[in-house]
Amino acid sequence: MDTPGGAVHKVLGAAHDAITPVPAARPEGLPDARRAVAGLIARRGWQVGADHPAAEAMAVALAAFRDVGQGAFEEVFDDYAEACERIAGADLAYVGRHAEVDELVESVVVGTVLGDAVLTAMRRLAHADRSARHFGWRPEEDPRGEDGPDTAPGGAGPS
C-alpha cells in the first residue's frame, strides 16, 4: 500500500518522466558511460534506478564528452551532483507549496521546463562572474563597446 508521500512521488515522477527527452544519439562507449553514471548514483546513495531516463541522458552526454576527447569531465561529477542535490531540494520546496495533485503536476512540468532555462542562464552568469574574478576582468573593461547590449550600470539590463 502506498503512503500519501509515495503516491505523490509516483505522480511527480510520472510527470517528470513525461517531459524528460529520450536521447536519440548513441555515442560509442555508451555502456561504459552507463556504468559511470550507475556508479555516481550508487556513490551518492540516490534512490533512483540507473535505468531512469535522466540517467540515460547523462550517460549519452558523458559518452559524447569522451568521444570528443573531454572524458576528464567525469572528474567533476560529484561536484555537479552536490550542487544538483541542493537545487533538487529547492525545487521540491517550491513544488511542495501545492497541495492538489493537478497543481503539483503543473508545478513540476512548468518548474522543470522553466527551471531548466533559469538554471542554464544562471550557470552562464556564474561562469561569467567566476571567469571575470579569475582573470581580473571588470565590467567597465567590456570589449564589446558600442556593439554590446545596452545595459544599465553594473550590467543590470536595458537602461
Side-chain angles (χ1 to χ4, degrees), residues 69-97:
Q70 298 292 320
F73 182 80
E74 190 175 340
E75 294 171 7
V76 298
F77 263 16
D78 284 294
D79 292 331
Y80 268 64
E82 185 176 324
C84 289
E85 287 169 354
R86 292 188 61 211
I87 291 167
D91 287 345
L92 287 177
Y94 170 75
V95 168
R97 296 176 186 174

Side-chain angles (χ1 to χ4, degrees), residues 1 18 40-41 43 46 52 66 70 79 85 90 101 110 123 142 144-145 149 151 153:
M1 180 174 177
L40 171 75
I41 291 169
R43 243 184 355 268
W46 288 350
H52 190 280
R66 290 174 174 178
Q70 298 292 320
D79 292 331
E85 287 169 354
V101 172
V110 171
R123 178 181 180 213
D142 192 342
R144 294 175 294 182
T151 58

Side-chain angles (χ1 to χ4, degrees), residues 19 107-120:
I19 60 172
S107 67
V108 167
V109 173
V110 171
T112 299
V113 172
L114 296 179
D116 285 353
V118 167
L119 183 59
T120 297

Side-chain angles (χ1 to χ4, degrees), residues 19-60:
I19 60 172
T20 300
V22 177
R26 293 289 179 251
E28 288 195 33
L30 190 54
D32 286 339
R34 285 179 179 138
R35 283 189 285 280
V37 171
L40 171 75
I41 291 169
R43 243 184 355 268
R44 303 300 298 187
W46 288 350
Q47 296 180 30
V48 61
D51 60 343
H52 190 280
E56 181 67 7
M58 188 172 163
V60 168

Side-chain angles (χ1 to χ4, degrees), residues 96-135:
R97 296 176 186 174
H98 303 284
E100 299 297 321
V101 172
D102 290 348
E103 291 176 345
L104 279 169
V105 172
E106 179 181 339
S107 67
V108 167
V109 173
V110 171
T112 299
V113 172
L114 296 179
D116 285 353
V118 167
L119 183 59
T120 297
M122 195 174 298
R123 178 181 180 213
R124 290 184 180 142
L125 288 169
H127 282 169
D129 172 69
R130 290 291 174 115
S131 176
R133 290 173 189 274
H134 181 79
F135 295 107

